[in-house]
C-alpha cells in the first residue's frame, strides 16, 4: 500500500504506511528505504537521510541509499556532502547514468568543471540525453 501511495504521489500516505510496516518489523530495511524516499519527496531531507542510513545499517548491500543520501544533500545545496555520497555509490556501481549526472551537477556547483565534464561524459556514454546538452553548455572540446 505504501508503494502504491508513492506511485500516486501521495507521499504523506506512503510515509504513514511505511511507518506502520517499520513498527511491525523494525528490521524492515525496505520500509526504511521507501519511507525515506517519501520523506525526501516531501522535502524532509534530514528525516529521509536518517531512514537511508538506517537502511544501510540493516543491509550494507543497499547501495542505492548512497545516492539517495546524496540527493538529499543536493536539494539542501550541500554540494560537497552530496558529492561524497555520489562518489561512494560510483565506487561500487559505475553503471547508473543518473548518479553520474547528479554528481556532475554537484561538481558544477562547486566550480569543478573538469570533474563535472568527466561525469557528464559517463552519463552520456550510458545513454542520458540531458548529459549531452550539459556537455555542450558547460564543457570545452567535448
Amino acid at each position: 500500500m505504501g508503494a502504491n501511495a508513492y506511485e500516486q504521489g501521495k507521499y504523506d500516505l506512503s510515509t504513514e504506511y511505511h511507518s506502520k510496516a517499520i513498527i511491525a518489523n523494525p528490521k524492515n530495511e525496505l520500509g526504511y528505504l521507501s519511507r525515506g524516499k517519501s520523506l525526501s519527496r516531501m522535502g524532509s531531507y534530514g528525516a529521509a537521510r536518517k531512514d537511508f542510513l538506517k537502511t544501510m545499517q540493516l543491509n550494507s548491500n543497499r547501495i542505492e541509499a548512497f545516492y539517495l543520501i546524496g540527493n538529499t544533500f543536493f536539494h539542501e545545496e550541500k554540494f560537497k556532502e552530496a558529492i561524497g555520497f555520489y562518489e561512494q555509490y560510483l565506487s561500487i556501481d559505475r553503471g547508473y547514468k543518473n548518479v553520474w549526472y547528479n554528481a556532475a551537477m554537484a561538481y558544477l556547483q562547486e566550480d569543478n568543471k573538469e570533474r563535472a565534464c568527466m561525469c557528464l561524459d559517463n552519463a552520456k556514454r550510458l545513454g542520458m540525453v540531458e548529459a549531452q546538452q550539459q556537455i555542450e553548455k558547460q564543457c570545452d572540446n567535448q
Side-chain angles (χ1 to χ4, degrees):
M1 291 191 303
N4 288 337
Y6 182 88
E7 292 299 320
Q8 295 172 9
K10 298 176 181 174
Y11 304 119
D12 54 343
L13 188 58
S14 176
T15 300
E16 185 180 325
Y17 284 133
H18 285 107
S19 293
K20 289 179 181 181
I22 291 166
I23 290 168
N25 179 4
K27 295 187 182 215
N28 181 354
E29 81 215 34
L30 186 57
Y32 284 101
L33 186 74
S34 298
R35 185 174 72 179
K37 288 180 181 180
S38 294
L39 289 166
S40 186
R41 290 287 186 146
M42 294 188 316
S44 298
Y45 302 119
R49 265 194 303 278
K50 282 183 180 180
D51 278 356
F52 298 143
L53 289 168
K54 184 66 175 180
T55 300
M56 292 297 295
Q57 289 174 347
L58 293 170
N59 182 350
S60 62
N61 292 322
R62 286 271 185 195
I63 64 166
E64 67 266 36
F66 285 129
Y67 79 79
L68 292 169
I69 292 169
N71 289 347
T72 65
F73 281 122
F74 189 94
H75 287 295
E76 291 178 330
E77 299 183 6
K78 296 177 181 176
F79 302 112
K80 286 181 184 176
E81 290 88 343
I83 288 167
F85 282 94
Y86 293 146
E87 290 291 353
Q88 280 186 285
Y89 180 91
L90 292 169
S91 73
I92 300 166
D93 179 1
R94 302 181 67 75
Y96 190 26
K97 63 186 175 188
N98 292 358
V99 180
W100 283 111
Y101 186 82
N102 290 359
M105 295 299 99
Y107 277 115
L108 285 172
Q109 292 297 320
E110 289 294 312
D111 293 321
N112 187 341
K113 198 174 257 196
E114 182 179 337
R115 180 70 177 148
C117 290
M118 196 271 319
C119 291
L120 285 168
D121 190 54
N122 282 314
K124 175 188 157 196
R125 183 179 47 77
L126 292 167
M128 179 171 270
V129 175
E130 296 89 344
Q132 178 60 43
Q133 295 166 349
Q134 286 296 325
I135 287 170
E136 291 169 6
K137 183 177 170 184
Q138 303 288 345
C139 305
D140 302 326
N141 301 323
Q142 296 278 333

